[in-house]
């Protein structure tokens, strides 16, 4: 009875204080309520923030103020988990669908993108950011345009495109004082410093970290101070000042873990890397296993997890702990699947270090070994034999594939040299397709709907597009090309399909790869570029896309092709 009385007493006291809290809120206007909400939210006082957001929404509904109702839904969504937050954003979209002005619906898409980003659905986040940017541009709202661009830059940075992201952060850091608040401005500086660390601009990173630490805003904000502490730790890790890095990162981890912020995983990763560089495997394992525990709870991943699980698997393989080795293989496969969906460009790196089919085979071997402990010696011999056979098989398979790739490259080089010689003799420098893969005859023909005079005009424009090498420009799409030659996408697509016997994507890739094949033979300077530079030179956003297109068209790889050219020159 005494316990029940105490519980009832506590309950009524909380009701009394909650009512007093609400009574005190009645004295505040919307701006003051929002400021109070932000203070609680940034301090991770979620319950207090939720009380304010609920009062804010109730006040707005009572006054039938549409814009403030929308803001109430926005505040409410940030206090909920994903399903509840999404419902509030949908309510925000509904209440603002007929609102005039230049804020909505762009703001709704940006808010929704932030929610998806928070819960690690990067594709949905990017889709919403792009929609937010499109509407912002239509409505000519500079502030919304800046928010959308910055959020896309955050996403690019997260995906590893730090050079591109740094350009955006630097631009808005220097030019957005009138359209961003103090917190957003500081977050751009944090992100810019992070990008500079990743792309090895050490002095620039150090400058912005010090500038941030010296700013009055950061000095009074514990969260932001610890962000810079983490960045400083990363910088010292990069410059091999491991003990200083460990001291700074440990302080940052203490703070981020106390508020259960996802930044704790990035700090743990950096701490683990410090100890790995110091060859202290026990400490590395401690931090990496903590990352796994956190990721298992939240299911929020990040690209560096590939390194984490690879280290754990290798460690427990060497120590002979089959149970833990099997566990981390399972965890790696799950993470690999998710990363592959959201970061396809990372799959090559992940698979180079730990190929998924091999892991599945290794997993099966380990399971069988654990089930048959009595036949341990026999199983060990069998596993070693299997591994030796697999290694032998993959070795010869790799050598065979490499030989085939070299032969294809040699044939291509001879073909190009012959073509260039004939072109010189005939004084005909018109580009022609160098290498045409085997085509499968389509079962159905595209019905011709383009008028003949329009078709001829489009074909003439396509000749101009090819002859003037406009296909080397970055970001060309069917829509942008149709716009440039003053036609529509349906007509352009049909002409390319019927007259070029391929779809637009294949057409564009073939032009670029043919150009690269020819230039690599003719131009020593072009051949001396690294693959990312070559990819950028001929219009690709990244080297992975270039390599895939090159291999698909020619059957060999850019690196082998270049090596064979160099060999042919020496010979």
């Amino acid at each position: 009875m005494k316990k029940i009385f105490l519980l009832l007493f506590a309950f009524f006291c909380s009701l009394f204080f909650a009512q007093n809290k609400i009574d005190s809120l009645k004295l505040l206007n919307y701006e003051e309520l929002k400021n109070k909400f932000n203070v609680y939210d940034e301090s991770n006082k979620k319950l207090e923030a939720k009380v304010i957001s609920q009062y804010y929404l109730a006040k707005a509904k009572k006054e039938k103020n549409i814009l403030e109702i929308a803001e109430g839904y926005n505040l409410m969504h940030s206090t909920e988990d994903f399903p509840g937050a999404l419902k509030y954003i949908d309510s925000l979209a509904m209440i603002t669908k007929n609102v005039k002005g230049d804020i909505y619906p762009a703001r709704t898409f940006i808010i929704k993108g932030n929610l998806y980003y928070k819960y690690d659905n990067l594709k949905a986040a990017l889709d919403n950011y792009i929609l937010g940017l499109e509407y912002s541009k239509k409505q000519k709202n500079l502030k919304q345009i800046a928010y959308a661009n910055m959020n896309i830059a955050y996403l690019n940075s997260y995906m590893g495109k730090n050079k591109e992201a740094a350009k955006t952060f630097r631009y808005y850091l220097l030019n957005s004082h009138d359209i961003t608040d103090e917190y957003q401005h500081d977050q751009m500086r944090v992100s810019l410093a992070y990008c500079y660390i990743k792309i090895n601009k050490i002095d620039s990173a150090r400058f912005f970290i010090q500038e941030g630490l010296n700013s009055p805003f950061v000095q009074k904000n514990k969260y932001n101070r610890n962000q810079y502490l983490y960045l400083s730790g990363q910088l010292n890790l990069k410059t091999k000042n491991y003990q200083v890095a460990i001291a700074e990162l440990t302080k940052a981890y203490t703070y981020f873990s106390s508020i259960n912020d996802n930044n704790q995983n990035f700090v743990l990763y950096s701490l683990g890397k410090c100890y790995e560089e110091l060859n202290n495997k026990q400490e590395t394992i401690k931090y990496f296993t903590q990352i796994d525990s956190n990721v298992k709870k939240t299911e929020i991943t990040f690209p560096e997890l590939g390194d984490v699980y690879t280290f754990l698997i290798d460690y427990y393989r060497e120590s002979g702990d089959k149970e833990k080795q099997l566990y981390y293989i399972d965890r790696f496969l799950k993470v690999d699947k998710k990363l592959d969906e959201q970061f396809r460009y990372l799959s090559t790196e992940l698979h180079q270090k730990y190929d998924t089919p091999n892991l599945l085979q290794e997993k099966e071997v380990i399971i069988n070994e654990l089930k048959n402990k009595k036949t341990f010696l026999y199983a060990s011999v069998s596993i070693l034999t299997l591994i030796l056979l697999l290694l032998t098989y993959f070795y010869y398979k790799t050598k065979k594939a490499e030989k085939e790739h070299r032969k294809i490259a040699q044939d291509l080089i001879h073909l190009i040299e012959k073509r260039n010689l004939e072109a010189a003799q005939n004084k005909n420098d018109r580009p022609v397709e160098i290498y045409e893969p085997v085509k499968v005859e389509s079962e159905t023909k595209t019905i011709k709907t383009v008028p003949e005079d329009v078709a001829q005009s489009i074909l003439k424009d396509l000749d101009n597009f090819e002859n003037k090498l406009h296909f080397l420009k970055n970001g060309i799409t069917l829509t942008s090309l149709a716009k440039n030659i003053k036609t529509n996408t349906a007509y352009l697509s049909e002409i390319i399909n019927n007259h070029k016997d391929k779809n637009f994507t294949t057409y564009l890739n073939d032009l670029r790869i043919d150009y690269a094949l020819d230039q690599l033979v003719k131009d020593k300077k072009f051949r001396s570029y690294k693959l990312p530079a070559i990819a950028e030179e001929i219009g690709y956003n990244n080297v992975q896309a270039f390599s895939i297109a090159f291999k698909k068209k020619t059957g060999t790889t850019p690196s082998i092709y270049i090596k064979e050219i160099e060999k042919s020159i020496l010979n």
Side-chain angles (χ1 to χ4, degrees):
M1 286 297 293
K2 187 176 180 181
K3 286 184 179 179
I4 294 171
F5 175 77
L6 288 172
L7 286 171
L8 287 172
F9 179 76
F11 173 72
F12 285 115
C13 283
S14 65
L15 284 178
F16 175 76
F17 287 119
Q19 186 59 47
N20 281 345
K21 185 76 174 174
I22 291 171
D23 289 340
S24 67
L25 295 178
K26 290 178 181 179
L27 302 173
L28 306 178
N29 59 34
Y30 287 116
E31 190 63 31
E32 290 168 334
L33 285 169
K34 198 184 299 184
N35 290 337
K36 204 169 188 65
F37 173 88
N38 288 334
V39 169
Y40 285 131
D41 189 51
E42 291 166 13
S43 304
N44 207 41
K45 296 180 179 179
K46 297 298 181 185
L47 186 59
E48 291 89 339
K50 189 166 187 174
V51 169
I52 293 172
S53 62
Q54 287 171 337
Y55 177 78
Y56 192 109
L57 182 58
K59 173 181 168 71
K61 285 183 174 180
K62 184 178 180 181
E63 296 176 3
K64 297 180 180 179
N65 187 326
I66 299 298
L67 289 177
E68 296 301 349
I69 292 172
E71 191 56 33
Y73 285 134
N74 177 38
L75 298 182
M76 284 294 296
H77 105 272
S78 64
T79 66
E80 299 287 334
D81 58 11
F82 182 78
L86 197 57
K87 286 179 183 178
Y88 279 117
I89 294 175
D90 289 340
S91 297
L92 190 158
M94 286 294 294
I95 200 75
T96 58
K97 67 178 180 180
N98 295 319
V99 169
K100 304 295 181 184
D102 63 350
I103 297 176
Y104 295 102
R107 186 166 186 257
T108 307
F109 286 117
I110 293 170
I111 292 170
K112 187 178 283 190
N114 289 340
L115 178 66
Y116 280 119
Y117 183 95
K118 178 181 177 182
Y119 285 94
D120 203 28
N121 188 338
L122 302 186
K123 185 180 183 302
L126 183 58
D127 290 343
N128 279 279
Y129 289 151
I130 289 171
L131 284 170
L133 183 59
E134 287 176 358
Y135 278 106
S136 298
K137 286 181 176 178
K138 285 179 185 177
Q139 295 167 319
K140 298 180 181 178
N141 186 318
L142 295 180
K143 184 178 286 191
Q144 297 286 106
I145 290 170
Y147 291 164
N149 279 327
M150 285 185 286
N151 284 328
I152 291 170
Y154 289 132
L155 193 57
N156 277 331
S157 176
Y158 184 87
M159 292 167 68
K161 297 181 178 180
N162 289 293
K163 189 175 181 181
E164 297 93 326
K167 291 177 184 176
T168 303
F169 292 135
R170 183 171 178 81
Y171 173 81
Y172 284 112
L173 186 66
L174 299 176
N175 299 288
S176 67
H177 289 277
D178 56 336
I179 57 176
T180 58
D181 61 30
E182 206 168 9
Y183 175 79
Q184 291 162 333
H185 186 78
D186 183 69
Q187 288 306 294
M188 280 186 286
R189 181 166 50 208
V190 167
S191 298
L192 182 58
Y194 174 84
C195 290
Y196 280 152
I197 292 171
K198 290 296 182 183
I199 60 178
N200 290 315
K201 288 193 173 183
I202 303 302
D203 290 339
S204 297
R206 185 175 285 112
F207 171 81
F208 284 110
I209 290 170
Q210 198 57 49
E211 183 183 72
L213 287 169
N214 291 336
S215 74
F217 174 78
V218 171
Q219 288 175 0
K220 65 184 180 183
N221 190 307
K222 198 172 183 180
Y223 186 92
N224 297 69
R225 284 203 310 276
N226 280 278
Q227 281 185 310
Y228 285 106
L229 203 57
Y230 159 63
L231 288 173
S232 184
Q234 268 212 324
L235 187 64
N236 280 302
L237 166 59
K238 195 86 171 181
T239 54
K240 300 184 179 181
N241 297 318
Y242 300 121
Q243 296 302 334
V244 178
I246 289 169
E248 292 175 329
L249 291 166
T250 301
K251 289 179 183 177
Y253 174 69
T254 301
Y255 173 75
F256 288 124
S257 60
S258 72
I259 62 171
N260 200 26
D261 185 89
N262 197 52
N263 274 320
Q264 64 180 300
N265 286 339
F266 299 113
V267 182
L268 284 169
Y269 175 73
S270 296
L271 278 166
K273 294 302 286 184
C274 284
Y275 283 108
E276 184 182 357
E277 292 295 332
L278 292 169
N279 203 29
N280 187 335
K281 290 188 177 182
Q282 291 302 320
E283 285 297 302
T284 307
I285 289 295
K286 182 178 81 172
Y287 290 114
F288 282 2
T289 52
Q290 183 60 49
I291 291 173
D292 171 64
S293 176
N294 294 345
V295 170
K296 197 172 182 180
K297 290 175 188 174
T298 63
E299 295 187 353
I300 295 176
T301 60
F302 54 98
E304 289 82 358
L305 281 174
D307 291 339
V308 171
Y309 287 113
T310 299
F311 186 91
L312 291 170
I313 292 166
D314 289 342
Y315 176 82
Y316 287 112
R317 180 192 292 112
E318 291 170 8
S319 63
D321 191 331
K322 301 293 183 181
E323 294 281 359
K324 287 187 177 179
Q325 186 186 351
L326 179 62
Y327 168 79
Y328 287 115
I329 287 174
D330 274 330
R331 293 290 298 138
F332 179 86
L333 291 171
K334 288 175 184 175
V335 167
D336 177 58
K337 183 180 178 182
K338 186 170 183 180
L339 288 175
D340 189 55
E341 289 170 356
Q342 301 207 106
F343 309 109
R344 291 195 180 278
Y345 74 98
L346 282 177
S347 60
T348 302
E349 294 293 328
L350 291 170
H351 284 87
Q352 279 179 353
K353 204 164 189 180
Y354 234 92
D355 194 48
T356 300
N358 289 343
L359 280 176
L360 289 169
Q361 180 63 42
E362 188 176 1
K363 173 184 174 182
E364 193 64 32
V365 169
I366 294 168
I367 289 172
N368 291 333
E369 185 180 353
L370 291 170
K371 286 180 179 178
N372 299 285
K373 289 182 179 180
K374 291 180 180 180
T375 58
F376 176 76
L377 182 61
Y378 177 78
S380 298
V381 172
S382 300
I383 291 167
L384 287 171
T385 305
L386 177 61
I387 291 172
L388 182 61
L389 288 171
L390 282 172
L391 288 172
T392 305
Y393 168 74
F394 285 122
Y395 174 78
Y396 283 110
K397 187 177 178 181
T398 302
K399 287 294 180 183
K400 184 180 177 183
E402 187 179 333
K403 186 177 179 182
E404 289 173 356
H405 290 166
R406 286 202 307 270
K407 179 65 170 62
I408 291 170
Q410 290 162 6
D411 291 343
L412 275 172
I413 294 163
H414 293 322
L415 183 63
I416 292 165
E417 289 173 340
K418 181 181 177 182
R419 190 212 67 177
N420 288 342
L421 182 61
E422 290 172 355
Q425 290 171 349
N426 298 326
K427 295 184 178 179
N428 176 19
D429 292 327
R430 177 180 173 82
V432 296
E433 189 147 347
I434 294 165
Y435 180 79
E436 185 65 37
V438 177
K439 294 180 181 176
V440 179
E441 193 65 36
S442 176
E443 294 181 4
T444 59
K445 284 284 184 181
T446 305
I447 298 171
K448 295 183 179 180
T449 60
V450 184
E452 186 59 30
D453 59 332
V454 176
Q456 291 304 316
S457 175
I458 293 173
L459 284 169
K460 185 178 178 182
D461 287 328
L462 287 177
D463 280 343
N464 185 59
F465 174 70
E466 295 172 17
N467 293 335
K468 293 188 176 181
L469 306 182
H470 290 164
F471 54 83
L472 299 180
K473 293 179 182 177
N474 188 279
I476 296 172
T477 63
L478 182 67
T479 303
S480 68
L481 181 55
K483 185 177 179 181
N484 285 340
I485 66 176
K486 297 181 173 58
T487 187
N488 60 59
T489 55
Y491 279 7
L492 179 58
S493 179
E494 183 181 319
I495 291 298
I496 292 172
N497 282 322
N498 287 338
H499 291 268
K500 305 293 183 179
D501 292 326
K502 59 191 78 171
N503 61 34
F504 174 75
T505 302
T506 305
Y507 168 66
L508 185 61
N509 279 330
D510 285 354
L511 288 172
R512 288 171 171 174
I513 299 306
D514 286 335
Y515 176 83
L517 287 167
D518 192 48
Q519 283 298 109
L520 286 168
V521 171
K522 293 193 301 189
D523 190 337
K524 182 180 179 181
K525 183 179 178 182
F526 186 75
R527 194 164 58 247
S528 69
Y529 293 167
K530 291 188 177 180
L531 287 183
I534 293 173
E536 186 177 352
E537 190 78 13
I538 64 173
Y540 288 99
N541 289 326
N542 55 67
V543 71
Q544 287 82 9
F546 166 55
S547 297
I548 289 168
F550 193 99
K551 177 75 180 297
K552 183 178 179 182
K553 180 167 174 61
T554 65
T556 188
T557 65
S559 55
I560 288 176
Y561 181 70
I562 292 169
K563 284 179 184 176
E564 290 305 313
I565 294 171
E566 297 294 346
K567 283 183 185 177
S568 70
I569 291 170
L570 289 173
N571 292 333

